[in-house]
Amino acid sequence: MGDKTPERKGLLWWIEHENTNEAWTMKNPWAVGAIVLTILIVLCMLATFFWGLPRPVANVIVNVAFYGYWGVLLAFEIKAKHRVAAAGTAFTMVFFAFLWWL
């Protein structure tokens, strides 16, 4: 009756189906990615102000990591055929790109 393939769990699945405490544990790979991304951004800021990393280099690193995370999330949502989640992710990416160009 049901197939044995495991369900791909996107970020919205975790938010909708897990309680808040469980959604932000190390069991959720999307939460781990967000934590790693936050640490990378903080390290780039510290490197810019304290260790002499040029700001354009830090901006490129942060933007590639940030949009890369959202791009991977979008790809997984499309692959899992979560149309609403994919549309929301795409809208969020466009919104952040708009804010970045302001």
Side-chain angles (χ1 to χ4, degrees), residues 27-90:
K27 289 195 268 181
N28 181 351
W30 299 107
V32 173
I35 292 167
V36 169
L37 180 65
T38 303
I39 291 170
L40 177 70
I41 291 170
V42 169
L43 286 175
C44 282
M45 291 169 50
L46 290 174
T48 299
F49 294 113
F50 296 117
W51 302 313
L53 181 69
R55 188 178 274 306
V57 173
N59 284 343
V60 168
I61 292 170
V62 168
N63 286 329
V64 166
F66 182 78
Y67 287 106
Y69 174 82
W70 281 96
V72 169
L73 178 59
L74 179 62
F76 273 100
E77 296 295 2
I78 290 171
K79 188 172 184 176
K81 296 183 177 153
H82 298 152
R83 291 184 184 96
V84 174
T89 303

